Amino acid sequence: MDVMPLIPFLGVSVPESLVLYYMVLVLTKKKESPFVVIILSLLTSIFSFSIRTMPVRFGIHTISQVALMTIFLNLFFRLPWHTSAVVMVLSSVFLGLAEGISVPLLAWIFKLKLEQIISDPLLRILFTLPHLVLLSVLAYIIGKRGWRLPLISEKLGIKNESDKRTTKQSIRQNCLLTLCLVQALMLVLLNLSFHAYVLSPLFWTKTH
């Protein structure tokens, strides 16, 4: 289990949840009260913390959190079930890939080991912030540019007067969708790498 005290955990999890909900709102072109988003982020983080305290396999907490957020999107953001699931998975993939690249890169820059960052709540919070800021900026740019994922746009019927798709725009949108699928593969590989990282010391201890 990957568990740390509640307050430091919320210092990591709440900002992550906020960014995820913000990305969803941008991708679906929805507007919601910041207060509602903050409350949902807090509830999501507390739920995730509760799952992490249970003796379950690594990754179950992530799947459970995605499922809960999908339900919240349907209930509070009034998004269809299929759209909620698609946009939540895609946003989570964005987050997973960004974290999988950013944290090891920063660890290499500051000459720290990953286990030091993972085991120290303060370092974990500090090393989490850069990729969350990057994702927030990316979501803001996507919103300003009016970029949309074709699959989501079609399901929601998003059509703007000024959003007349050219061939170049369609290519950009499909490239973004392809990038998301590549990120999903990267997230799976990151999960496998984490398992190897966690299990290898245990194997070494048992055999020596």
Side-chain angles (χ1 to χ4, degrees):
M1 291 182 293
D2 176 28
V3 180
M4 63 178 175
L6 177 61
I7 300 304
F9 177 81
L10 293 180
V12 173
S13 184
V14 172
E16 285 185 348
S17 298
L18 282 170
V19 170
L20 283 174
Y21 283 122
Y22 176 55
M23 290 184 69
V24 168
L25 291 174
V26 169
L27 290 175
T28 57
K29 204 176 180 182
K30 299 278 288 184
K31 292 184 178 180
E32 294 292 337
S33 165
F35 178 74
V36 172
V37 175
I38 292 173
I39 293 299
L40 292 181
S41 298
L42 184 59
L43 291 175
T44 300
S45 298
I46 293 175
F47 172 81
S48 180
F49 178 82
S50 301
I51 296 296
R52 283 172 180 260
T53 60
M54 299 178 184
V56 295
R57 292 179 63 85
F58 178 80
I60 297 298
H61 68 279
T62 301
I63 297 173
S64 301
Q65 179 173 319
V66 170
L68 178 70
M69 295 180 82
T70 300
I71 294 172
F72 281 169
L73 294 183
N74 177 261
L75 294 179
F76 296 98
F77 293 0
R78 297 172 298 283
L79 291 173
W81 283 109
H82 288 92
T83 302
S84 299
V86 169
V87 76
M88 194 67 255
V89 169
L90 290 178
S91 298
S92 298
V93 166
F94 271 119
L95 180 64
L97 181 63
E99 184 175 10
I101 294 176
S102 173
V103 175
L105 179 61
L106 290 174
W108 177 76
I109 292 174
F110 291 98
K111 302 186 184 308
L112 293 173
K113 295 182 178 180
L114 285 177
E115 56 264 33
Q116 291 178 269
I117 299 172
I118 293 174
S119 60
D120 188 318
L122 180 58
L123 284 178
R124 197 161 178 175
I125 293 173
L126 293 176
F127 275 69
T128 297
L129 293 177
H131 77 270
L132 293 180
V133 172
L134 177 62
L135 283 179
S136 298
V137 172
L138 177 61
Y140 177 79
I141 293 174
I142 290 174
K144 279 292 185 182
R145 296 270 184 147
W147 293 342
R148 295 286 174 265
L149 292 172
L151 179 62
I152 296 173
S153 298
E154 290 171 8
K155 282 184 175 294
L156 292 177
I158 297 174
K159 293 181 180 179
N160 294 333
E161 293 287 330
S162 59
D163 189 21
K164 296 180 180 177
R165 287 187 193 172
T166 63
T167 302
K168 184 181 291 187
Q169 288 173 329
S170 296
I171 291 174
R172 284 178 180 175
Q173 291 177 336
N174 285 294
C175 284
L176 183 57
L177 180 58
T178 302
L179 178 60
C180 290
L181 295 176
V182 172
Q183 289 172 333
L185 176 60
M186 293 296 293
L187 186 60
V188 171
L189 294 177
L190 177 63
N191 189 23
L192 293 175
S193 299
F194 186 85
H195 268 294
Y197 167 77
V198 170
L199 293 177
S200 57
L202 296 176
F203 178 79
W204 180 263
T205 301
K206 288 181 179 180
T207 54
H208 292 77

